[in-house]
C-alpha cells in the first residue's frame, strides 16, 4: 500500500465521521427521480420460450413458498419476510443494527457476512418479478413489493451489515432497476404503482449517494469497484436524475472501461485469478456498458474487444457440469437471466458461445461471440498464466498465474503449477475450491495454501508470501513461466534459489506429468486430490482410481527415494482431503501424497491412464 493510498484511506476515514450528518442533509432535501426511461428494454413476454417460462415461474413459486436457492447449491427455508440479518446456514443472527462504519464484517460471531449479503442482493425478488412479467397469476407483484418494503424498514441507510461494503448497494441498484422495469411491464393496480414509486424514491437516491460516497479505491478496487460503477450506471440509465447524487454517465463509462482494461488481461483472463469472479466481473462490465449504450454512449472498441476476449477465456476454462473453479470463487450470480438455477453455468457458456436458446438469449438478446479456440490442442493464455486443452473427452487446465491482482492479491491462492483434470465432464483431479471467507480461519488458510493444491511445493514457509488476513498477502511470489515445447506444456516457478518445474504430455490413453525439483537440501511434497466420490485403492503397480464411467491407473515413480501415501477421506485427517465444490459446502476426498528430500535435483514422474474394469 503506497503513500497515495494511505492518504486516501485517511481521507475516507475522516469522511466516515461525517456520514451521519451528510445522510441527514440528503434526506432533508427533495429527491425527485422523475419518470423512468425505457431502460432496460424488455423482450416481448409472449415471445418467451415455453421451457424458460416454466423454469422461471416454478422457481418464483418456490421462492414465494419460502424455498430459496443461494450461492449455487444451498437450499434454505425463509419466512416472509426473511430475517435480513440472519446467516441461514449457521443460524447466527445480528441483533443490533450498528452504523456500518462500526462493523467489521469479517469478524461477526456466528454470522458470515457473505450469506447475509446474498439475501439482500434481491436476486429472488428479480426472479419473482420476471415471473410476474411473464404472466404468473397470483400474488407475485405483492410478494416483491412487500419484500422490498420490509427490507427498507429493517435496513436503514448506513446501518447494519448490508451497508458495510459499497458493492452491495451497487448490486441492489442493478437488480432494483430490473425489478422496476419488470413490474412496470405488468398491469399494476393504482395502489401497487404508487407503492413502486415510493420504493424507487426511497431506494435509488440513497443507494446512489452511498455508493458514490464510498467507492472502492487503491488496493480494494477489484471486482468491488466494477459492482459499484455498474450499479451507478444501470440506475442512471433508467433514472437520469440519479446523476444528481453521482457523476455523469460519461465519466462513469470512462472509469468502467478503464477498470475493465485494468482488471482483464489482453488475453482475456481476469487478473484476480479466480474463475467464478471472472464471470462475476464480466457480467458487471457487460451490464455497465449496456447501460452506457442505453444512455447514448458508445463503448470503445478496446473495452468491447476486451470483454469478447474475456468471454472466450471463460468458455475455454470452465467445466460447467462439475466446475471446481480455481481461486476465490463464491458462486455469486448478479441478475438471474438464466432459465434454471441448476443449469446457470451451462447457459452462460452456451450464450457466450453465441447460443440463442437460453434464458440469457431471451432476456438479453444475442451476444457476438469471439471465435472459440481449438481445444483439441493446447491453448495458452500467457499474460494471465493459464493453459487448457480438451482433446477427445478430456479437459485439462493448468495454472501458471501470478498470485493475484494488485499489491495485496486479495483473492489469490497458492496454486502455481496446479492442474485440474476431467473426463467425460466428470472431475478426476480437482482444485480444492474456496471453502469460506469469514469465521473459519483454519479452513480459509487451508484452501488458499500450497498444501491444498497439487503443484510441487517446498516445506519452508519462508519461501512463500506471508499472509496477513483473509484477503491480504505480502510480497507475492514471482510470476511462473509457461511455454509449449515439442507438444508438451512446461510450467515453472522460482522461489528464492529453489525452482520447481512441471511438464505435461498427452499420451494415447492418458497423461504423463513430470515434476522436477531443484533445491539444496529441501523437503518437498505433491498432493494429488481426487474428486469426492471417486474410489482410490492401492494396487501392485500404484493406484486404481474408479470414476463414474471409467477407471484410471495412477502410477508414480522417481529417480530417487520418495514416499507415496494414500489418504482416504476421514475427519481424523484434519484438513488433508478437505475440499469445497462450492462456497460453504465442505466435502472430503482421497489424496495421494508424494514426499521426498531433494539434495540438488530430483524428478518425479506421474502417469495417469484409462483402464478397463474387470
Amino acid at each position: 500500500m503506497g503513500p497515495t493510498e494511505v492518504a486516501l484511506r485517511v481521507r475516507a476515514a475522516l469522511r466516515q465521521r461525517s456520514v451521519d450528518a451528510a445522510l441527514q442533509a440528503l434526506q432533508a432535501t427533495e429527491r425527485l427521480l422523475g419518470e423512468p426511461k425505457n431502460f432496460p428494454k424488455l423482450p416481448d413476454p409472449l415471445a418467451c420460450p415455453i421451457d424458460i417460462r416454466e423454469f422461471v415461474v416454478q422457481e418464483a413459486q418456490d421462492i414465494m413458498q419460502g424455498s430459496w436457492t443461494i450461492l449455487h447449491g444451498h437450499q434454505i427455508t425463509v419466512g416472509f419476510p426473511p430475517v435480513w440479518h440472519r446467516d441461514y446456514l449457521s443460524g447466527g443472527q445480528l441483533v443490533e443494527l450498528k452504523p456500518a462504519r462500526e462493523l467489521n464484517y469479517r469478524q461477526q460471531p456466528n454470522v458470515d457476512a457473505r450469506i447475509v449479503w446474498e439475501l439482500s442482493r434481491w436476486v429472488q425478488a428479480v426472479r419473482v418479478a420476471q415471473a410476474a412479467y411473464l404472466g404468473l397469476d397470483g400474488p407475485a407483484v405483492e410478494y416483491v413489493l412487500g419484500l422490498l418494503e420490509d427490507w427498507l424498514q429493517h435496513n436503514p441507510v448506513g446501518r447494519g451489515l448490508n451497508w458495510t461494503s459499497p458493492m452491495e448497494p451497487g448490486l441492489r441498484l442493478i437488480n432494483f432497476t430490473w425489478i422496476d422495469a419488470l413490474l412496470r411491464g405488468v398491469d399494476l393496480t393504482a395502489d401497487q404503482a404508487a407503492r413502486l414509486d415510493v420504493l424507487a424514491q426511497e431506494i435509488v437516491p440513497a443507494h446512489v449517494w452511498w455508493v458514490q460516497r464510498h467507492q472502492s479505491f487503491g488496493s480494494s478496487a477489484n471486482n468491488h469497484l466494477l459492482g459499484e460503477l455498474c450499479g451507478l450506471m444501470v440506475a442512471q440509465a433508467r433514472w437520469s436524475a440519479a446523476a444528481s447524487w453521482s457523476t455523469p454517465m460519461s465519466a462513469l463509462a470512462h472509469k468502467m472501461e478503464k477498470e475493465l482494461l485494468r482488471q482483464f488481461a489482453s488475453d482475456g483472463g481476469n487478473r484476480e485469478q479466480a474463475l467464478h469472479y471472472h464471470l462475476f466481473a464480466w457480467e458487471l462490465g457487460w451490464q455497465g456498458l449496456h447501460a452506457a449504450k442505453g444512455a447514448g454512449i458508445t463503448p470503445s472498441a478496446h473495452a468491447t474487444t476486451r470483454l469478447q476476449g474475456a468471454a472466450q477465456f471463460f468458455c475455454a476454462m470452465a467445466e460447467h457440469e462439475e466446475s471446481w473453479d480455481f481461486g476465490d470463487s463464491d458462486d455469486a450470480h448478479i441478475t438471474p437471466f438464466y432459465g434454471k438455477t441448476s443449469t446457470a453455468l451451462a447457459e452462460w457458456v452456451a450464450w457466450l458461445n453465441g447460443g440463442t436458446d437460453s434464458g440469457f438469449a431471451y432476456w438479453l438478446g444475442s451476444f457476438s461471440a469471439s471465435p472459440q479456440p481449438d481445444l483439441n490442442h493446447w491453448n495458452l493464455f500467457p499474460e494471465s498464466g493459464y493453459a487448457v486443452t480438451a482433446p477427445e473427452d478430456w479437459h485439462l487446465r493448468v495454472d501458471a498465474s501470478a498470485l493475484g491482482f494488485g499489491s495485496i492479491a486479495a483473492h489469490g491462492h497458492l496454486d502455481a503449477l496446479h492442474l485440474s483434470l476431467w473426463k467425460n465432464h466428470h472431475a478426476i483431479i480437482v482444485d480444492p475450491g474456496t471453502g469460506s471467507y469469514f469465521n473459519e480461519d483454519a479452513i480459509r488458510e487451508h484452501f488458499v495454501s500450497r498444501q491444498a493444491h497439487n503443484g510441487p511445493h517446498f516445506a519452508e514457509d519462508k519461501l512463500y508470501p506471508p499472509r496477513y488476513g483473509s484477503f491480504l498477502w505480502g510480497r507475492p511470489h514471482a510470476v511462473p513461466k509457461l511455454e509449449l515445447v515439442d507438444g508438451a506444456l512446461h510450467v515453472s516457478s522460482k522461489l528464492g534459489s529453489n525452482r520447481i518445474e512441471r511438464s505435461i504430455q498427452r499420451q494415447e490413453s492418458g497423461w504423463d506429468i513430470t515434476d522436477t525439483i531443484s533445491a539444496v537440501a529441501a523437503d518437498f511434497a505433491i498432493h494429488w486430490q481426487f474428486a469426492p466420490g471417486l474410489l482410490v485403492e492401492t494396487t501392485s503397480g500404484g493406484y486404481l482410481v474408479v470414476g463414474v464411467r471409467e477407471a484410471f491407473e495412477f502410477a508414480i515413480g522417481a529417480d530417487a527415494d520418495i514416499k507415496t501415501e494414500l489418504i482416504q477421506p476421514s475427519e481424523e485427517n484434519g484438513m488433508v482431503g478437505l475440499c469445497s465444490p462450492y462456497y460453504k459446502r465442505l466435502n472430503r476426498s482421497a489424496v495421494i501424497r508424494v514426499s521426498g528430500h531433494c539434495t540438488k535435483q530430483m524428478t518425479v514422474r506421474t502417469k495417469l491412464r484409462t483402464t478397463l474394469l474387470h
Side-chain angles (χ1 to χ4, degrees):
M1 189 182 299
T4 301
E5 182 172 347
V6 171
L8 288 171
R9 291 194 180 277
V10 170
R11 187 178 73 175
L14 293 174
R15 290 185 71 196
Q16 281 282 35
R17 297 181 182 180
S18 63
V19 68
D20 289 341
L23 183 56
Q24 288 176 3
L26 172 73
Q27 293 173 333
T29 61
E30 191 174 28
R31 297 167 291 153
L32 297 179
L33 277 179
E35 286 295 316
K37 294 184 287 186
N38 186 23
F39 177 87
K41 294 182 179 179
L42 299 178
D44 182 351
L46 298 179
C48 182
I50 293 176
D51 58 338
I52 301 297
R53 185 190 304 272
E54 289 177 349
F55 290 148
V56 170
V57 168
Q58 181 59 60
E59 186 172 20
Q61 290 173 332
D62 291 342
I63 290 168
M64 289 190 290
Q65 291 170 7
S67 179
W68 289 22
T69 301
I70 62 171
L71 291 174
H72 181 82
H74 293 289
Q75 297 289 331
I76 63 173
T77 301
V78 305
F80 182 83
V83 180
W84 296 108
H85 300 97
R86 176 178 292 171
D87 177 342
Y88 276 86
L89 297 186
S90 72
Q93 184 174 328
L94 214 65
V95 177
E96 185 180 359
L97 279 186
K98 294 182 179 180
R101 66 179 179 276
E102 297 178 10
L103 289 171
N104 182 349
Y105 62 77
R106 296 185 178 95
Q107 296 178 354
Q108 293 299 315
N110 302 316
V111 172
D112 185 332
R114 182 64 190 84
I115 305 303
V116 174
W117 291 342
E118 185 67 18
L119 269 65
S120 291
R121 290 182 176 182
W122 300 341
V123 175
Q124 290 76 20
V126 176
R127 183 56 108 196
V128 178
Q130 288 173 336
Y133 181 76
L134 295 177
L136 174 63
D137 294 329
V141 172
E142 286 295 320
Y143 183 91
V144 176
L145 295 176
L147 198 73
L148 298 181
E149 287 166 345
D150 186 80
W151 191 94
L152 285 174
Q153 181 180 348
H154 290 92
N155 293 272
V157 180
R159 303 187 73 86
L161 281 178
N162 288 316
W163 295 95
T164 50
S165 169
M167 181 177 71
E168 297 306 313
L171 298 180
R172 290 196 291 272
L173 280 171
I174 297 168
N175 281 337
F176 180 73
T177 300
W178 282 93
I179 291 167
D180 188 80
L182 289 161
L183 293 189
R184 293 187 193 278
V186 176
D187 187 16
L188 300 177
T189 66
D191 175 67
Q192 290 171 336
R195 290 165 64 193
L196 184 56
D197 287 340
V198 171
L199 282 171
Q201 194 63 55
E202 290 296 317
I203 289 171
V204 177
H207 275 67
V208 168
W209 178 85
W210 186 270
V211 173
Q212 178 66 34
R213 183 182 177 90
H214 296 90
Q215 264 184 61
S216 300
F217 59 86
S219 55
S220 299
N222 45 32
N223 66 76
H224 285 222
L225 180 56
L226 294 179
E228 294 149 19
L229 293 172
C230 184
L232 296 174
M233 295 171 74
V234 169
Q236 197 172 135
R238 184 159 180 81
W239 296 279
S240 56
S244 304
W245 308 285
S246 177
T247 51
M249 178 68 85
S250 57
L252 293 172
H254 175 75
K255 193 170 184 179
M256 171 64 84
E257 291 192 5
K258 182 180 178 181
E259 280 303 310
L260 290 174
L261 295 174
R262 193 170 77 97
Q263 296 188 33
F264 285 96
S266 61
D267 60 14
N270 185 271
R271 291 189 170 104
E272 284 204 79
Q273 314 297 356
L275 189 57
H276 200 90
Y277 272 163
H278 179 115
L279 180 61
F280 183 76
W282 190 95
E283 182 182 347
L284 291 170
W286 189 91
Q287 286 215 51
L289 296 188
H290 186 63
K293 287 192 287 186
I297 298 173
T298 302
S300 71
H302 290 298
T304 54
T305 299
R306 189 64 56 94
L307 278 182
Q308 284 188 330
Q312 178 180 321
F313 177 95
F314 181 80
C315 290
M317 290 289 165
E319 175 57 57
H320 56 76
E321 291 194 25
E322 296 181 8
S323 56
W324 294 96
D325 298 334
F326 54 79
D328 272 357
S329 292
D330 67 12
D331 304 280
H333 293 290
I334 303 167
T335 307
F337 298 124
Y338 40 83
K340 195 174 183 180
T341 302
S342 60
T343 61
L345 187 57
E347 290 188 50
W348 264 114
V349 172
W351 182 66
L352 292 174
N353 276 323
T356 59
D357 57 354
S358 67
F360 293 95
Y362 171 69
W363 293 110
L364 304 179
S366 61
F367 176 74
S368 180
S370 300
Q372 297 302 302
D374 179 3
L375 292 178
N376 287 311
H377 307 282
W378 280 108
N379 283 263
L380 273 59
F381 299 88
E383 186 178 354
S384 300
Y386 293 94
V388 62
T389 185
E392 300 172 356
D393 297 323
W394 296 96
H395 183 174
L396 191 147
R397 187 174 69 206
V398 181
D399 189 313
S401 66
L403 178 59
F405 178 54
S407 60
I408 66 172
H411 291 287
H413 287 198
L414 289 176
D415 50 9
L417 277 61
H418 176 95
L419 69 83
S420 299
L421 181 66
W422 294 260
K423 184 70 182 295
N424 291 312
H425 303 292
H426 294 292
I428 305 170
I429 298 169
V430 300
D431 185 287
T434 299
S436 62
Y437 295 153
F438 312 121
N439 296 337
E440 297 174 312
D441 292 345
I443 290 175
R444 174 70 174 158
E445 290 299 313
H446 171 72
F447 280 108
V448 304
S449 72
R450 62 193 186 278
Q451 291 91 346
H453 297 84
N454 62 48
H457 58 267
F458 299 105
E460 297 94 333
D461 287 335
K462 64 184 179 181
L463 294 177
Y464 296 89
R467 187 166 176 79
Y468 301 118
S470 296
F471 301 98
L472 180 60
W473 293 93
R475 301 190 306 277
H477 59 66
V479 179
K481 294 185 178 180
L482 173 73
E483 60 182 341
L484 274 177
V485 179
D486 297 328
L489 180 74
H490 290 264
V491 289
S492 61
S493 178
K494 198 170 187 300
L495 295 168
S497 59
N498 297 345
R499 182 179 178 85
I500 50 179
E501 302 174 70
R502 170 165 281 180
S503 172
I504 303 162
Q505 178 74 57
R506 171 82 168 98
Q507 298 297 338
E508 183 177 354
S509 58
W511 302 88
D512 285 349
I513 303 155
T514 303
D515 293 322
T516 303
I517 297 94
S518 302
V520 177
D523 294 330
F524 71 90
I526 307 166
H527 289 201
W528 295 105
Q529 179 138 17
F530 296 93
L534 296 186
L535 174 66
V536 184
E537 57 186 39
T538 304
T539 67
S540 58
Y543 302 93
L544 180 67
V545 181
V546 181
V548 175
R549 295 167 55 183
E550 295 172 278
F552 310 91
E553 294 176 347
F554 199 83
I556 303 170
D559 58 5
D561 288 339
I562 59 170
K563 178 183 178 181
T564 64
E565 179 184 7
L566 173 59
I567 304 170
Q568 297 288 6
S570 171
E571 291 185 6
E572 296 178 355
N573 296 326
M575 296 295 172
V576 179
L578 202 63
C579 53
S580 176
Y582 50 89
Y583 190 77
K584 298 288 281 190
R585 175 59 57 87
L586 299 180
N587 284 16
R588 289 189 178 274
S589 62
V591 171
I592 295 176
R593 179 164 60 191
V594 183
S595 58
H597 183 79
C598 180
T599 57
K600 186 176 181 181
Q601 187 175 87
M602 191 170 180
T603 300
V604 179
R605 299 176 181 85
T606 303
K607 298 179 183 293
L608 185 144
R609 299 286 188 273
T610 55
T611 186
L612 295 175
L613 287 174
H614 299 288

